[in-house]
Coordinates of all heavy atoms in Angstrom, one line a residue:
M1224 N -14.0 -2.6 8.7 CA -13.2 -3.2 7.6 C -12.6 -4.5 8.1 O -11.9 -4.6 9.1 CB -12.2 -2.2 7.2 CG -11.1 -2.8 6.2 SD -10.1 -1.5 5.5 CE -9.0 -1.2 6.9
E1225 N -13.0 -5.6 7.5 CA -12.5 -6.9 7.9 C -11.4 -7.4 7.0 O -11.6 -7.3 5.7 CB -13.7 -7.9 7.9 CG -13.4 -9.3 8.4 CD -14.6 -10.2 8.4 OE1 -15.7 -9.7 8.5 OE2 -14.4 -11.4 8.4
L1226 N -10.4 -7.9 7.5 CA -9.2 -8.4 6.6 C -9.1 -9.9 6.7 O -9.1 -10.4 7.9 CB -8.0 -7.7 7.1 CG -8.0 -6.2 7.1 CD1 -6.6 -5.7 7.6 CD2 -8.1 -5.7 5.6
N1227 N -9.1 -10.5 5.6 CA -9.0 -12.0 5.6 C -7.7 -12.4 4.9 O -7.4 -11.9 3.9 CB -10.1 -12.7 4.8 CG -11.4 -12.4 5.5 OD1 -11.5 -12.3 6.8 ND2 -12.5 -12.4 4.8
P1228 N -6.8 -13.2 5.6 CA -5.6 -13.7 4.9 C -5.9 -14.5 3.5 O -6.9 -15.2 3.5 CB -4.9 -14.5 5.9 CG -5.9 -14.8 7.0 CD -7.0 -13.8 6.8
V1229 N -5.0 -14.3 2.7 CA -5.1 -15.0 1.3 C -4.2 -16.2 1.4 O -2.9 -16.1 1.3 CB -4.7 -14.0 0.1 CG1 -4.7 -14.8 -1.2 CG2 -5.7 -12.8 0.2
Y1230 N -4.7 -17.4 1.6 CA -3.9 -18.6 1.6 C -3.8 -19.3 0.2 O -2.8 -19.9 -0.1 CB -4.5 -19.5 2.6 CG -4.4 -19.1 4.0 CD1 -5.5 -18.9 4.8 CD2 -3.2 -18.7 4.6 CE1 -5.5 -18.4 6.1 CE2 -3.1 -18.3 6.0 CZ -4.3 -18.1 6.7 OH -4.2 -17.7 8.0
D1231 N -4.9 -19.1 -0.6 CA -4.8 -19.8 -1.9 C -4.9 -18.7 -3.0 O -5.7 -17.9 -3.2 CB -6.2 -20.6 -2.0 CG -6.2 -21.4 -3.3 OD1 -5.3 -21.5 -4.0 OD2 -7.3 -22.0 -3.6
P1232 N -3.7 -18.7 -3.9 CA -3.7 -17.7 -4.9 C -4.8 -17.8 -5.9 O -5.0 -16.9 -6.7 CB -2.3 -18.0 -5.5 CG -1.8 -19.2 -4.9 CD -2.7 -19.6 -3.8
K1233 N -5.5 -19.0 -6.0 CA -6.6 -19.1 -6.9 C -7.7 -18.1 -6.6 O -8.6 -17.9 -7.5 CB -7.1 -20.5 -7.1 CG -6.0 -21.5 -7.5 CD -6.5 -22.9 -7.6 CE -5.4 -23.8 -8.0 NZ -5.8 -25.3 -7.9
T1234 N -7.7 -17.6 -5.4 CA -8.9 -16.8 -5.0 C -8.6 -15.3 -5.4 O -9.5 -14.5 -5.1 CB -9.2 -16.9 -3.5 OG1 -8.0 -16.5 -2.8 CG2 -9.5 -18.3 -3.0
L1235 N -7.4 -15.0 -5.9 CA -7.1 -13.6 -6.3 C -8.0 -13.1 -7.4 O -8.3 -13.9 -8.4 CB -5.6 -13.5 -6.7 CG -4.6 -13.7 -5.6 CD1 -3.2 -13.7 -6.2 CD2 -4.7 -12.7 -4.5
N1236 N -8.5 -11.9 -7.3 CA -9.4 -11.5 -8.3 C -9.1 -10.0 -8.6 O -8.8 -9.2 -7.6 CB -10.8 -11.5 -7.7 CG -11.9 -11.3 -8.7 OD1 -11.7 -10.5 -9.6 ND2 -13.0 -11.9 -8.5
Q1237 N -9.2 -9.5 -9.8 CA -8.8 -8.1 -10.2 C -9.8 -7.1 -9.6 O -9.5 -5.9 -9.7 CB -8.7 -8.0 -11.7 CG -7.5 -8.9 -12.2 CD -7.3 -8.7 -13.7 OE1 -8.1 -8.2 -14.4 NE2 -6.1 -9.1 -14.2
S1238 N -11.0 -7.5 -9.2 CA -11.9 -6.5 -8.7 C -11.9 -6.4 -7.3 O -12.5 -5.5 -6.7 CB -13.3 -6.9 -9.2 OG -13.8 -8.1 -8.6
K1239 N -11.1 -7.3 -6.5 CA -11.1 -7.2 -5.1 C -9.9 -6.2 -4.7 O -9.0 -6.0 -5.4 CB -10.8 -8.5 -4.5 CG -12.0 -9.5 -4.7 CD -11.7 -10.8 -4.1 CE -12.8 -11.8 -4.2 NZ -12.5 -13.1 -3.6
V1240 N -9.9 -5.8 -3.4 CA -8.9 -4.9 -2.8 C -8.1 -5.7 -1.9 O -8.7 -6.4 -1.1 CB -9.5 -3.6 -2.2 CG1 -8.5 -2.8 -1.6 CG2 -10.2 -2.9 -3.3
Y1241 N -6.8 -5.5 -1.9 CA -5.9 -6.3 -1.0 C -5.0 -5.2 -0.2 O -4.7 -4.3 -0.7 CB -5.0 -7.3 -1.8 CG -5.8 -8.3 -2.5 CD1 -6.1 -8.1 -3.9 CD2 -6.3 -9.4 -2.0 CE1 -7.0 -9.0 -4.5 CE2 -7.0 -10.3 -2.6 CZ -7.4 -10.1 -3.9 OH -8.1 -11.0 -4.6
M1242 N -4.8 -5.6 1.1 CA -3.9 -4.8 1.9 C -2.6 -5.5 2.1 O -2.5 -6.7 2.5 CB -4.7 -4.6 3.3 CG -3.9 -3.7 4.3 SD -4.1 -2.0 4.0 CE -5.7 -1.8 4.5
I1243 N -1.6 -4.8 1.7 CA -0.2 -5.5 1.8 C 0.7 -4.4 2.6 O 0.9 -3.3 1.9 CB 0.3 -5.8 0.4 CG1 -0.6 -6.8 -0.3 CG2 1.8 -6.4 0.6 CD1 -0.1 -7.1 -1.7
E1244 N 1.1 -4.7 3.7 CA 2.0 -3.9 4.5 C 1.3 -2.4 4.7 O 2.0 -1.4 4.5 CB 3.4 -3.8 3.9 CG 4.1 -5.1 3.9 CD 5.4 -5.1 3.2 OE1 5.8 -4.0 2.6 OE2 6.1 -6.0 3.4
G1245 N 0.1 -2.4 4.9 CA -0.6 -1.1 5.2 C -1.0 -0.3 4.0 O -1.5 0.8 4.0
T1246 N -0.8 -0.8 2.8 CA -1.2 -0.1 1.6 C -2.2 -0.9 0.8 O -2.1 -2.2 0.7 CB 0.1 0.1 0.7 OG1 1.0 0.8 1.4 CG2 -0.3 0.9 -0.6
R1247 N -3.2 -0.3 0.2 CA -4.2 -0.9 -0.6 C -3.7 -1.3 -2.0 O -3.3 -0.3 -2.6 CB -5.5 -0.2 -0.6 CG -6.1 -0.1 0.8 CD -7.5 0.6 0.7 NE -7.9 0.9 2.0 CZ -8.5 2.2 2.4 NH1 -8.7 3.0 1.4 NH2 -8.8 2.4 3.6
Y1248 N -3.9 -2.4 -2.5 CA -3.5 -2.9 -3.8 C -4.6 -3.5 -4.5 O -5.5 -4.0 -3.9 CB -2.3 -3.8 -3.7 CG -1.0 -3.2 -3.4 CD1 -0.6 -3.2 -2.0 CD2 -0.1 -2.7 -4.3 CE1 0.6 -2.5 -1.6 CE2 1.1 -2.2 -3.9 CZ 1.4 -2.1 -2.5 OH 2.6 -1.6 -2.2
K1249 N -4.5 -3.6 -5.9 CA -5.3 -4.3 -6.7 C -4.5 -5.4 -7.4 O -3.2 -5.2 -7.7 CB -6.0 -3.5 -7.8 CG -5.2 -2.8 -8.8 CD -5.8 -2.0 -9.8 CE -4.9 -1.2 -10.6 NZ -5.5 -0.4 -11.6
Y1250 N -5.0 -6.6 -7.6 CA -4.3 -7.7 -8.2 C -4.2 -7.4 -9.7 O -5.2 -7.1 -10.4 CB -4.9 -9.0 -7.9 CG -4.5 -10.2 -8.7 CD1 -3.1 -10.6 -8.5 CD2 -5.2 -10.9 -9.6 CE1 -2.7 -11.7 -9.2 CE2 -4.7 -11.9 -10.3 CZ -3.5 -12.4 -10.1 OH -3.0 -13.4 -10.8
L1251 N -3.0 -7.6 -10.4 CA -2.9 -7.4 -11.8 C -2.7 -8.7 -12.6 O -3.6 -9.0 -13.5 CB -1.7 -6.5 -12.1 CG -1.8 -5.0 -11.7 CD1 -0.5 -4.3 -12.0 CD2 -3.0 -4.4 -12.3
R1252 N -1.7 -9.5 -12.3 CA -1.4 -10.6 -13.2 C -0.4 -11.5 -12.5 O 0.0 -11.3 -11.4 CB -0.8 -10.1 -14.5 CG 0.5 -9.4 -14.2 CD 1.1 -8.9 -15.6 NE 2.4 -8.2 -15.4 CZ 2.5 -6.9 -14.9 NH1 1.5 -6.2 -14.6 NH2 3.7 -6.4 -14.8
I1253 N -0.2 -12.6 -13.3 CA 0.9 -13.6 -12.8 C 2.1 -13.4 -13.7 O 1.9 -13.3 -15.0 CB 0.3 -15.1 -12.9 CG1 -0.9 -15.3 -11.9 CG2 1.5 -16.1 -12.5 CD1 -1.5 -16.6 -12.0
D1254 N 3.3 -13.4 -13.1 CA 4.6 -13.4 -13.9 C 5.4 -14.6 -13.6 O 5.2 -15.2 -12.4 CB 5.4 -12.1 -13.6 CG 4.8 -10.9 -14.4 OD1 4.0 -11.1 -15.3 OD2 5.2 -9.8 -14.0
G1255 N 6.3 -14.9 -14.4 CA 7.3 -15.9 -14.1 C 6.9 -17.3 -14.7 O 5.9 -17.4 -15.4
S1256 N 7.8 -18.3 -14.4 CA 7.6 -19.6 -14.9 C 6.8 -20.5 -13.8 O 6.5 -20.0 -12.8 CB 8.9 -20.3 -15.2 OG 9.7 -20.4 -13.9
R1257 N 6.6 -21.7 -14.2 CA 5.9 -22.6 -13.2 C 6.6 -22.8 -12.0 O 5.9 -22.9 -10.9 CB 5.7 -24.0 -13.9 CG 4.5 -24.1 -14.7 CD 4.1 -25.5 -15.0 NE 5.1 -26.2 -15.6 CZ 4.9 -27.5 -16.0 NH1 3.9 -28.2 -15.7 NH2 6.0 -28.2 -16.6
K1258 N 7.8 -22.9 -11.9 CA 8.6 -23.0 -10.7 C 8.7 -21.7 -9.9 O 8.8 -21.6 -8.7 CB 10.0 -23.5 -10.9 CG 10.0 -25.0 -11.1 CD 11.5 -25.4 -11.2 CE 11.7 -26.8 -11.0 NZ 13.1 -27.3 -10.8
N1259 N 8.7 -20.6 -10.6 CA 9.0 -19.3 -9.9 C 7.8 -18.3 -10.3 O 8.1 -17.3 -10.9 CB 10.4 -18.8 -10.4 CG 10.8 -17.6 -9.6 OD1 10.3 -17.4 -8.5 ND2 11.8 -16.8 -10.1
I1260 N 6.7 -18.6 -9.8 CA 5.5 -17.8 -10.0 C 5.5 -16.5 -9.2 O 5.7 -16.7 -7.9 CB 4.2 -18.5 -9.8 CG1 4.1 -19.7 -10.9 CG2 3.0 -17.6 -10.0 CD1 2.9 -20.6 -10.7
K1261 N 5.2 -15.4 -9.7 CA 5.2 -14.2 -8.9 C 3.8 -13.6 -9.2 O 3.2 -13.5 -10.3 CB 6.1 -13.1 -9.4 CG 7.6 -13.6 -9.3 CD 8.0 -13.5 -7.9 CE 9.5 -13.8 -7.8 NZ 10.1 -13.6 -6.5
Y1262 N 3.1 -13.1 -8.2 CA 1.7 -12.5 -8.2 C 2.0 -10.9 -8.1 O 2.6 -10.5 -7.2 CB 0.8 -12.9 -7.2 CG 0.7 -14.4 -7.2 CD1 1.5 -15.3 -6.5 CD2 -0.2 -15.0 -8.0 CE1 1.4 -16.7 -6.5 CE2 -0.3 -16.4 -8.1 CZ 0.5 -17.2 -7.4 OH 0.4 -18.6 -7.5
V1263 N 1.6 -10.2 -9.2 CA 1.9 -8.8 -9.3 C 0.6 -7.9 -8.9 O -0.5 -8.2 -9.3 CB 2.3 -8.4 -10.8 CG1 2.6 -7.0 -10.8 CG2 3.5 -9.3 -11.2
F1264 N 0.9 -6.9 -8.0 CA -0.1 -6.1 -7.5 C 0.3 -4.6 -7.8 O 1.5 -4.3 -7.8 CB -0.2 -6.2 -5.9 CG -0.8 -7.5 -5.5 CD1 0.1 -8.7 -5.4 CD2 -2.1 -7.7 -5.3 CE1 -0.4 -9.8 -5.0 CE2 -2.6 -8.9 -4.9 CZ -1.7 -9.9 -4.7
S1265 N -0.7 -3.8 -8.0 CA -0.5 -2.3 -8.2 C -1.2 -1.5 -7.2 O -2.4 -1.9 -6.9 CB -1.0 -2.0 -9.6 OG -0.9 -0.6 -9.9
P1266 N -0.6 -0.4 -6.6 CA -1.3 0.3 -5.6 C -2.5 1.1 -6.3 O -2.5 1.5 -7.3 CB -0.2 1.2 -5.0 CG 0.8 1.3 -6.1 CD 0.7 0.0 -6.9
L1267 N -3.6 1.2 -5.3 CA -4.7 2.0 -5.7 C -4.4 3.5 -5.9 O -3.4 3.9 -5.3 CB -5.8 1.7 -4.8 CG -6.4 0.3 -4.7 CD1 -7.6 0.2 -3.7 CD2 -7.0 -0.2 -6.1
P1268 N -5.2 4.2 -6.6 CA -4.9 5.7 -6.6 C -5.0 6.3 -5.2 O -5.6 5.8 -4.3 CB -6.0 6.2 -7.5 CG -6.5 5.0 -8.3 CD -6.3 3.8 -7.4
N1269 N -4.3 7.3 -5.0 CA -4.1 8.1 -3.7 C -3.5 7.3 -2.7 O -3.7 7.6 -1.4 CB -5.6 8.5 -3.3 CG -6.2 9.5 -4.3 OD1 -5.5 10.2 -5.0 ND2 -7.5 9.3 -4.5
Q1270 N -2.6 6.3 -3.0 CA -1.9 5.7 -2.0 C -0.4 6.3 -2.0 O 0.0 6.7 -2.9 CB -1.8 4.1 -2.3 CG -3.1 3.5 -2.2 CD -3.7 3.4 -0.8 OE1 -2.9 2.9 0.2 NE2 -4.9 3.9 -0.7
R1271 N 0.3 6.1 -0.9 CA 1.6 6.8 -0.7 C 2.6 5.9 -1.7 O 3.4 6.6 -2.4 CB 2.1 6.6 0.7 CG 3.5 7.2 0.9 CD 3.9 7.2 2.2 NE 3.2 8.5 2.8 CZ 3.5 9.0 4.0 NH1 4.4 8.4 4.8 NH2 2.9 10.1 4.4
K1272 N 2.5 4.7 -1.8 CA 3.3 3.9 -2.7 C 2.8 4.0 -4.2 O 1.6 3.9 -4.3 CB 3.5 2.5 -2.2 CG 4.2 2.4 -0.8 CD 4.4 1.0 -0.3 CE 4.9 1.0 1.0 NZ 5.1 -0.3 1.6
T1273 N 3.8 3.9 -5.1 CA 3.3 4.0 -6.5 C 3.8 3.0 -7.3 O 3.4 2.8 -8.4 CB 3.7 5.4 -7.0 OG1 5.1 5.5 -6.9 CG2 3.0 6.6 -6.4
K1274 N 4.7 2.1 -6.9 CA 5.2 1.1 -7.7 C 4.5 -0.2 -7.6 O 4.0 -0.5 -6.5 CB 6.7 0.8 -7.4 CG 7.6 2.0 -7.8 CD 9.1 1.7 -7.5 CE 9.9 2.8 -8.0 NZ 11.3 2.6 -7.7
E1275 N 4.5 -1.0 -8.6 CA 4.0 -2.4 -8.6 C 4.9 -3.2 -7.6 O 6.1 -3.1 -7.6 CB 3.9 -3.0 -9.9 CG 2.9 -2.4 -10.8 CD 2.9 -3.0 -12.2 OE1 3.7 -3.9 -12.5 OE2 2.0 -2.6 -13.0
I1276 N 4.3 -4.2 -7.0 CA 5.1 -5.2 -6.2 C 4.7 -6.5 -6.7 O 3.7 -6.8 -7.2 CB 4.9 -5.0 -4.8 CG1 3.4 -5.4 -4.3 CG2 5.3 -3.7 -4.1 CD1 3.2 -5.5 -2.8
S1277 N 5.6 -7.6 -6.5 CA 5.3 -8.9 -6.9 C 5.7 -9.8 -5.7 O 6.8 -9.6 -5.0 CB 6.2 -9.3 -8.1 OG 7.5 -9.2 -7.8
L1278 N 4.9 -10.7 -5.4 CA 5.1 -11.7 -4.3 C 5.0 -13.1 -4.7 O 4.2 -13.4 -5.6 CB 3.9 -11.5 -3.3 CG 3.7 -10.0 -2.7 CD1 2.4 -10.1 -1.8 CD2 4.8 -9.6 -1.9
N1279 N 5.9 -13.9 -4.2 CA 5.7 -15.3 -4.4 C 4.7 -15.9 -3.6 O 4.1 -15.2 -2.7 CB 7.1 -16.0 -4.3 CG 7.6 -16.0 -2.9 OD1 6.9 -15.7 -1.9 ND2 8.9 -16.2 -2.7
E1280 N 4.4 -17.2 -3.8 CA 3.3 -17.8 -3.0 C 3.4 -17.8 -1.5 O 2.5 -17.5 -0.7 CB 3.0 -19.3 -3.5 CG 1.8 -19.8 -3.0 CD 1.5 -21.2 -3.7 OE1 2.0 -21.5 -4.7 OE2 0.5 -21.8 -3.2
T1281 N 4.7 -18.0 -1.1 CA 4.9 -17.9 0.4 C 4.6 -16.6 1.0 O 4.0 -16.3 1.9 CB 6.4 -18.4 0.7 OG1 6.6 -19.6 0.2 CG2 6.6 -18.3 2.2
R1282 N 5.2 -15.6 0.3 CA 5.1 -14.1 0.9 C 3.6 -13.7 0.7 O 3.1 -12.9 1.4 CB 5.9 -13.2 0.1 CG 7.4 -13.3 0.5 CD 8.2 -12.2 -0.1 NE 9.5 -12.5 0.4 CZ 10.6 -11.7 0.1 NH1 10.4 -10.7 -0.7 NH2 11.8 -11.9 0.6
L1283 N 2.9 -14.2 -0.3 CA 1.5 -13.9 -0.5 C 0.7 -14.3 0.7 O -0.1 -13.5 1.1 CB 0.9 -14.6 -1.8 CG -0.5 -14.4 -2.2 CD1 -0.6 -12.9 -2.7 CD2 -0.9 -15.4 -3.2
S1284 N 0.9 -15.5 1.1 CA 0.2 -16.0 2.3 C 0.6 -15.4 3.6 O -0.3 -15.4 4.5 CB 0.4 -17.6 2.4 OG 1.8 -17.8 2.7
I1285 N 1.7 -14.7 3.7 CA 2.2 -14.1 4.9 C 1.7 -12.6 4.9 O 1.1 -12.1 5.9 CB 3.7 -14.1 5.1 CG1 4.1 -15.6 5.2 CG2 4.1 -13.3 6.2 CD1 5.7 -15.8 5.2
R1286 N 1.8 -11.9 3.8 CA 1.6 -10.4 3.8 C 0.3 -9.9 3.3 O -0.1 -8.8 3.5 CB 2.8 -9.8 3.0 CG 4.1 -10.0 3.6 CD 5.1 -9.2 2.7 NE 6.4 -9.4 3.3 CZ 7.6 -9.0 2.7 NH1 7.4 -8.4 1.6 NH2 8.6 -9.2 3.2
C1287 N -0.3 -10.7 2.4 CA -1.5 -10.3 1.7 C -2.8 -10.5 2.4 O -3.0 -11.7 2.9 CB -1.5 -10.9 0.3 SG -2.8 -10.3 -0.8
L1288 N -3.6 -9.5 2.6 CA -4.9 -9.6 3.3 C -6.0 -9.1 2.3 O -5.8 -8.0 1.8 CB -4.9 -8.8 4.5 CG -3.9 -9.2 5.6 CD1 -3.8 -8.2 6.7 CD2 -4.2 -10.6 6.2
E1289 N -7.1 -9.8 2.2 CA -8.2 -9.4 1.4 C -9.1 -8.3 2.2 O -9.4 -8.7 3.3 CB -9.0 -10.6 0.8 CG -10.2 -10.1 0.1 CD -11.1 -11.2 -0.3 OE1 -10.6 -12.4 -0.2 OE2 -12.2 -11.0 -0.6
V1290 N -9.4 -7.3 1.7 CA -10.3 -6.3 2.3 C -11.7 -6.8 2.0 O -12.1 -6.6 0.9 CB -10.1 -4.8 1.9 CG1 -10.9 -3.9 2.7 CG2 -8.6 -4.5 2.2
Q1291 N -12.3 -7.3 3.0 CA -13.7 -7.8 2.8 C -14.7 -6.8 2.5 O -14.7 -5.8 3.2 CB -14.2 -8.7 4.0 CG -15.2 -9.6 3.8 CD -14.9 -10.8 2.9 OE1 -13.7 -11.1 2.7 NE2 -15.9 -11.5 2.4
G1292 N -15.5 -6.9 1.5 CA -16.6 -6.0 1.2 C -16.3 -4.7 0.4 O -17.1 -3.9 0.2
V1293 N -15.0 -4.7 0.0 CA -14.5 -3.6 -0.8 C -14.1 -4.0 -2.2 O -13.3 -5.0 -2.3 CB -13.4 -2.8 -0.1 CG1 -12.9 -1.6 -1.0 CG2 -13.8 -2.3 1.3
T1294 N -14.6 -3.4 -3.3 CA -14.3 -3.7 -4.6 C -13.6 -2.6 -5.3 O -13.9 -1.4 -5.0 CB -15.4 -4.3 -5.4 OG1 -16.4 -3.2 -5.4 CG2 -16.0 -5.6 -4.7
Y1295 N -12.8 -2.8 -6.3 CA -12.2 -1.8 -7.1 C -12.8 -1.8 -8.5 O -12.8 -2.8 -9.2 CB -10.7 -2.1 -7.2 CG -10.0 -1.0 -8.2 CD1 -9.8 0.2 -7.7 CD2 -9.6 -1.4 -9.4 CE1 -9.2 1.2 -8.6 CE2 -8.9 -0.5 -10.3 CZ -8.8 0.8 -9.9 OH -8.3 1.7 -10.7
E1296 N -13.2 -0.6 -8.8 CA -13.8 -0.4 -10.2 C -12.9 0.7 -10.8 O -12.8 1.8 -10.3 CB -15.2 0.1 -10.2 CG -16.2 -1.0 -9.6 CD -17.6 -0.5 -9.6 OE1 -17.9 0.5 -10.3 OE2 -18.4 -1.1 -8.8
P1297 N -12.3 0.4 -11.9 CA -11.4 1.4 -12.6 C -12.3 2.6 -13.0 O -13.5 2.5 -13.3 CB -10.9 0.7 -13.8 CG -11.7 -0.5 -14.0 CD -12.4 -0.8 -12.7
P1298 N -11.7 3.7 -12.9 CA -12.4 5.0 -13.3 C -12.8 5.0 -14.7 O -12.0 4.6 -15.6 CB -11.5 6.1 -12.9 CG -10.1 5.5 -12.9 CD -10.3 4.2 -12.4
K1299 N -14.0 5.5 -15.0 CA -14.4 5.5 -16.4 C -13.9 6.7 -17.0 O -13.7 7.8 -16.4 CB -16.0 5.6 -16.4 CG -16.6 4.3 -15.8 CD -18.0 4.3 -15.9 CE -18.5 3.1 -15.2 NZ -19.9 3.1 -14.8
E1300 N -13.6 6.6 -18.3 CA -13.0 7.7 -19.0 C -14.0 8.8 -19.3 O -15.1 8.5 -19.6 CB -12.3 7.2 -20.3 CG -11.1 6.4 -20.2 CD -10.5 6.0 -21.4 OE1 -10.4 6.9 -22.4 OE2 -10.0 5.0 -21.6
Q1301 N -13.6 9.9 -19.1 CA -14.5 11.1 -19.3 C -14.0 11.9 -20.5 O -12.8 12.1 -20.7 CB -14.5 12.0 -18.1 CG -15.0 11.4 -16.9 CD -15.0 12.4 -15.7 OE1 -14.4 13.4 -15.8 NE2 -15.6 12.0 -14.6
T1302 N -14.9 12.1 -21.4 CA -14.6 12.9 -22.6 C -14.9 14.3 -22.3 O -16.0 14.7 -21.7 CB -15.3 12.4 -23.8 OG1 -16.7 12.6 -23.5 CG2 -14.9 11.0 -24.1
V1303 N -14.0 15.3 -22.5 CA -14.2 16.7 -22.3 C -14.4 17.4 -23.7 O -13.6 17.1 -24.6 CB -12.9 17.3 -21.7 CG1 -13.1 18.8 -21.5 CG2 -12.7 16.6 -20.3
V1304 N -15.4 18.1 -23.7 CA -15.8 18.8 -25.0 C -15.6 20.3 -24.7 O -16.2 20.9 -23.7 CB -17.3 18.6 -25.4 CG1 -17.6 19.4 -26.6 CG2 -17.5 17.1 -25.6
Q1305 N -14.7 21.0 -25.5 CA -14.6 22.4 -25.3 C -15.4 23.1 -26.3 O -15.3 22.9 -27.5 CB -13.1 22.7 -25.3 CG -12.7 24.1 -25.1 CD -11.3 24.4 -25.1 OE1 -10.5 23.5 -25.3 NE2 -10.9 25.7 -25.0
M1306 N -16.2 24.0 -25.8 CA -17.0 24.8 -26.7 C -16.4 26.2 -26.9 O -16.0 26.9 -25.8 CB -18.4 24.9 -26.1 CG -19.1 23.7 -26.0 SD -20.7 23.7 -25.4 CE -21.5 24.5 -26.7
G1307 N -16.2 26.6 -28.1 CA -15.6 27.9 -28.4 C -16.6 29.0 -28.4 O -17.8 28.8 -28.8
L1308 N -16.3 30.1 -28.0 CA -17.2 31.3 -28.1 C -17.1 32.0 -29.4 O -15.9 32.1 -29.9 CB -17.0 32.3 -27.0 CG -17.2 31.8 -25.6 CD1 -16.9 32.8 -24.5 CD2 -18.7 31.4 -25.4
L1309 N -18.1 32.3 -30.0 CA -18.0 33.0 -31.4 C -17.7 34.4 -31.2 O -17.9 35.2 -30.6 CB -19.2 32.8 -32.2 CG -19.5 31.2 -32.4 CD1 -20.8 31.3 -33.3 CD2 -18.4 30.8 -33.3

């Protein structure tokens, strides 16, 4: 597993996996105004942390690492059909 620092926020992608302080996250969106931009991340399923975090550009370049070669695909919805016995 190779980790690359994220220096440019333009390279953030919702299908990539990022490591922030030992937890794997997916990128969600940008919040805030032009002067105070925050990059919002959500932890992947089965991680100890469960809350979204937001990082400004400085903290993004210090704490955020891209996990090379790993992508996130959201789980597909499964429909369950219950069959009744006559």
Side-chain angles (χ1 to χ4, degrees):
M1224 176 171 69
E1225 185 177 337
L1226 301 174
N1227 297 330
V1229 177
Y1230 295 119
D1231 186 10
K1233 294 177 185 175
T1234 62
L1235 293 174
N1236 191 329
Q1237 293 183 343
S1238 64
K1239 293 181 182 178
V1240 175
Y1241 299 94
M1242 182 81 71
I1243 303 170
E1244 297 176 353
T1246 304
R1247 292 186 197 135
Y1248 288 89
K1249 63 181 176 179
Y1250 170 68
L1251 292 180
R1252 65 184 178 278
I1253 296 175
D1254 280 346
S1256 62
R1257 275 198 299 181
K1258 277 189 165 184
N1259 193 14
I1260 295 176
K1261 301 280 185 178
Y1262 302 94
V1263 181
F1264 294 84
S1265 175
L1267 293 180
N1269 299 326
Q1270 296 292 307
R1271 180 172 278 193
K1272 296 183 181 179
T1273 57
K1274 291 186 179 181
E1275 292 181 354
I1276 63 167
S1277 60
L1278 303 173
N1279 62 18
E1280 193 168 346
T1281 304
R1282 287 188 177 179
L1283 180 74
S1284 63
I1285 294 171
R1286 296 183 181 176
C1287 185
L1288 301 168
E1289 177 187 342
V1290 181
Q1291 196 71 16
V1293 179
T1294 58
Y1295 174 73
E1296 295 179 21
K1299 297 181 179 163
E1300 291 189 33
Q1301 297 178 351
T1302 57
V1303 178
V1304 177
Q1305 183 175 357
M1306 298 179 69
L1308 298 173
L1309 298 177

